Amino acid sequence: MSTNGAHGLEQQGFRNLKGVRWNLTPSELYEIAIARGEGKLAKDGPLVVLTGEHTGRSASDKFVVRDENTDSQVWWDNNKAMTPAHFDVLYADMMKHAEGRELFAKDLFGGADLSHRLPVRIVTEYAWHSLFVHQLLIRPTADQLKGFNPEFAIIDLPSFEADPARHGCASKTVIAVNFSKKLILIGGTSYAGEMKKSVFTIMNYLLPAKRIMSMHCSANVGKDGKSAIFFGLSGTGKTTLSADASRTLVGDDEHGWSEHGVFNIEGGCYAKVIKLSREAEPEIFSTTERFGTVLENVVMDDATRSLDLDSAKYAENTRAAYPIDFIPNASETGRAGHPKNVIMLTADAFGVLPPIAKLTPSQAMYHFLSGFTAKVAGTEKGLGKEPQPTFSTCFGAPFMPRHPSEYGNLLRDLIGLHQADCWLVNTGWTGGAFGEGSRMPIKATRALLNAALDGSLANAEMRIDPHFRFRVPVSVPGVDTKILNPRDTWADKSAYDAQARKLVAMFRDNFKKFEAHVGKDVLEAAPVLAEAAE
């Protein structure tokens, strides 16, 4: 129970608590979580928990306090505002709710760059939540804990229910971010990912002010010391493709790009495990058979304690949370040099985009601000048979407090400064849209990525795509040439042309909101309608 007496929970305003369990080890947290009925022990050692009503983030329940400090800094078109007065009432009510309870406190770091890391304290009501953040963030040494003074605090009380009329929120669930008071309050949800993304939200606010890029991306580094970053929304392969046994994994989800290079914001991984296969993803699969891994909403047989990773009984969004060193080839430092390759992943369910394309810095900024992927039936409630386009700017709009142009300009400047090659990689559909075509073969995707990462693809013969005007390789060793030109994979070429025109129009319509914030070069990087292309 390591804590610094000078910086106890009184610093966060807690009073009259039954007790505080400070910085417990995973083993201690396991014992308490199981004794309390918060989770169950699976056959091979992971802790299996259910998150209840919320099996994913509650984006509509997240608010940022709008005050004199944040008024001009936050992108209010994307972030819901809460008044300082409402936050103060919410805070007072949560402090009152906490009285008489035993809480768990974890002192951790966000950010592996020693010059820019964030000391953060996370206070939780559940033991398994404390285990979750222990595995997901960067764990201080015993010496670092002695003098630990948190800069930000996150207070997570799932049993607290907010009152919209009293607290200025939308429902009984609330995530309230106060950058001025350096405090985030979470109530009414047991989904642990809210804590992880709260740290990311803080870093996304703090780092750009220091000219450091914060990114929703995975990263790895080759034996040559050249790193690569992989942007992508959920389901595009960000975690899978970065966990390459031939390269060192820096991190799977959140990174910064500072004057020193790339650094992981986290100390762990939060991987989707629905239909996870030992054959296709052995490194990630092995984490579901280890003590220390937290499995969210995974189905388990109570008699045998065996897992059914294929079942979506509780949620499609089943997850494993584990420390990054559970991946055999993970970086010990969470740091690497400046990226040589910047990869933007998209799962195009319309079957239009090529499996890989080379982007200019202006095209990279255009596609970064667009943040395109497509969702299909089965991934979210309410989706029909047709693919639904998703444009999440910067590949992480829900976690971006600042205007996207701040992140986009920073990325373009860093790409130019460090002469990184930029690629758009489609892990979606080929030979037709979802329902007719098939998913892009992962072997082809890996072969194309390997060629990009070893530098050979940058010098390959390229054609210019008539719609998107990026460069597409004509042939790559080990890859079916036909797959490189999406139109060639469609039986009905006129159907492809119609689908391409449709997707181009979606891109152009989505980008209208950014046109006033970007330069002429980025505007000219937009795709063109087929008639103009011809």
Side-chain angles (χ1 to χ4, degrees):
M1 296 188 188
S2 302
T3 182
N4 180 349
H7 302 295
L9 285 196
E10 296 78 13
Q11 184 176 344
Q12 280 70 52
F14 287 99
R15 299 289 185 274
N16 304 319
L17 295 175
K18 179 181 178 182
V20 184
R21 309 298 291 270
W22 284 95
N23 296 308
L24 299 188
T25 65
S27 298
E28 291 171 313
L29 291 167
Y30 256 72
E31 289 176 353
I32 297 169
I34 292 169
R36 286 180 164 198
E38 293 178 9
K40 295 181 178 180
L41 189 65
K43 178 168 67 78
D44 297 305
L47 183 70
V48 179
V49 298
L50 298 178
T51 63
E53 177 186 352
H54 296 284
T55 59
R57 289 181 301 101
S58 300
S60 61
D61 293 309
K62 184 177 180 180
F63 295 83
V64 176
V65 175
R66 189 167 189 167
D67 57 25
E68 58 184 8
N69 296 322
T70 58
D71 186 54
S72 63
Q73 299 295 312
V74 170
W75 178 33
W76 295 111
D77 289 348
N78 185 63
N79 291 272
K80 291 184 174 184
M82 176 179 279
T83 66
H86 276 135
F87 182 90
D88 290 345
V89 173
L90 175 66
Y91 170 69
D93 287 353
M94 288 186 75
M95 291 299 101
K96 187 69 178 174
H97 181 80
E99 290 186 15
R101 297 175 188 272
E102 181 180 63
L103 300 180
F104 299 85
K106 272 287 179 186
D107 290 332
L108 300 157
F109 290 118
D113 186 315
L114 302 183
S115 303
H116 306 294
R117 67 186 178 189
L118 176 79
V120 60
R121 172 167 293 164
I122 303 180
V123 183
T124 64
E125 184 177 1
Y126 296 159
W128 83 261
H129 274 187
S130 198
L131 174 63
F132 175 93
V133 293
H134 175 89
Q135 306 298 47
L136 260 293
L137 293 175
I138 296 171
R139 299 159 286 279
T141 64
D143 283 344
Q144 289 168 339
L145 279 176
K146 289 175 184 175
F148 197 96
N149 186 14
E151 186 177 335
F152 266 79
I154 297 170
I155 298 169
D156 190 340
L157 304 178
S159 67
F160 176 86
E161 293 187 356
D163 177 350
R166 181 172 170 80
H167 301 128
C169 52
S171 74
K172 66 181 182 181
T173 299
V174 66
I175 300 97
V177 182
N178 193 323
F179 289 119
S180 298
K181 292 192 172 181
K182 299 187 174 182
L183 184 62
I184 295 181
L185 306 176
I186 302 171
T189 173
S190 297
Y191 182 67
E194 297 288 9
M195 296 179 289
K196 162 191 157 67
K197 288 305 183 188
S198 290
V199 175
F200 190 39
T201 299
I202 296 167
M203 298 298 267
N204 284 335
Y205 183 74
L206 298 178
L207 293 179
K210 299 197 285 184
R211 298 294 296 166
I212 299 167
M213 182 66 186
S214 53
M215 307 173 289
H216 186 211
C217 71
S218 57
N220 64 25
V221 59
K223 293 182 175 66
D224 56 4
K226 295 176 181 176
S227 68
I229 54 179
F230 300 76
F231 289 101
L233 298 170
S234 180
T236 57
K238 182 161 51 73
T239 299
T240 301
L241 292 170
S242 58
D244 182 336
S246 68
R247 295 172 64 84
T248 299
L249 179 68
V250 181
D252 84 322
D253 196 43
E254 301 168 5
H255 291 81
W257 188 350
S258 73
E259 69 275 22
H260 306 125
V262 172
F263 62 92
N264 195 355
I265 287 173
E266 302 181 298
C269 302
Y270 194 36
K272 287 187 81 167
V273 295
I274 190 74
K275 296 181 173 63
L276 189 68
S277 156
R278 188 190 302 276
E279 292 69 36
E281 300 175 77
E283 293 89 0
I284 300 172
F285 190 93
S286 70
T287 69
T288 68
E289 301 174 319
R290 290 194 61 166
F291 178 89
T293 295
V294 179
L295 294 176
E296 287 183 336
N297 301 312
V298 168
V299 172
M300 181 183 75
D301 184 300
D302 277 338
T304 66
R305 299 300 173 108
S306 298
L307 304 174
D308 182 358
L309 297 179
D310 292 334
S311 176
K313 176 182 176 181
Y314 301 118
E316 182 79 23
N317 185 37
T318 55
R319 296 269 180 173
Y322 50 89
I324 195 168
D325 59 23
F326 278 18
I327 300 294
N329 57 323
S331 166
E332 292 182 3
T333 65
R335 300 186 292 273
H338 297 288
K340 175 58 181 167
N341 287 281
V342 174
I343 294 140
M344 298 181 192
L345 300 168
T346 180
D348 173 23
F350 297 96
V352 170
L353 295 174
I356 197 164
K358 193 168 192 299
L359 308 176
T360 65
S362 299
Q363 288 171 337
M365 184 172 174
Y366 182 91
H367 285 278
F368 179 69
L369 290 178
S370 297
F372 168 73
T373 194
K375 293 179 180 176
V376 297
T379 58
E380 280 188 12
K381 290 180 181 177
L383 289 179
K385 293 181 180 179
E386 290 292 314
Q388 297 296 315
T390 298
F391 292 94
S392 184
T393 188
C394 308
F395 295 97
F399 326 115
M400 300 295 175
R402 298 179 178 274
H403 194 276
S405 59
E406 284 196 53
Y407 306 102
N409 284 320
L410 250 177
L411 181 66
R412 184 187 56 185
D413 293 349
L414 286 164
I415 287 169
L417 180 64
H418 299 289
Q419 298 184 317
D421 288 327
C422 300
W423 308 91
L424 183 71
V425 173
N426 174 23
T427 61
W429 273 256
T430 181
F434 171 76
E436 293 183 11
S438 57
R439 196 75 193 252
M440 196 72 69
I442 193 166
K443 284 186 178 180
T445 301
R446 286 200 183 278
L448 292 167
L449 274 177
N450 289 340
L453 297 177
D454 69 20
S456 61
L457 196 57
N459 301 314
E461 181 186 353
M462 302 270 186
R463 66 175 179 86
I464 304 296
D465 184 273
H467 304 288
F468 286 84
R469 297 184 291 181
F470 39 45
R471 297 167 66 207
V472 181
V474 174
S475 66
V476 177
V479 178
D480 181 3
T481 301
K482 187 177 178 182
I483 208 172
L484 295 171
N485 189 337
R487 193 172 188 269
D488 289 347
T489 66
W490 283 55
D492 185 343
K493 303 295 189 280
S494 62
Y496 171 84
D497 294 338
Q499 191 82 314
R501 287 194 294 271
K502 183 177 170 183
L503 186 59
V504 166
M506 290 174 185
F507 265 90
R508 294 180 70 89
D509 185 57
N510 170 73
F511 205 79
K512 287 176 182 175
K513 59 181 173 285
F514 301 125
E515 288 176 352
H517 301 279
V518 300
K520 184 181 176 184
D521 61 318
V522 178
L523 292 175
E524 291 176 348
V528 293
L529 292 170
E531 290 76 13
E534 289 164 3

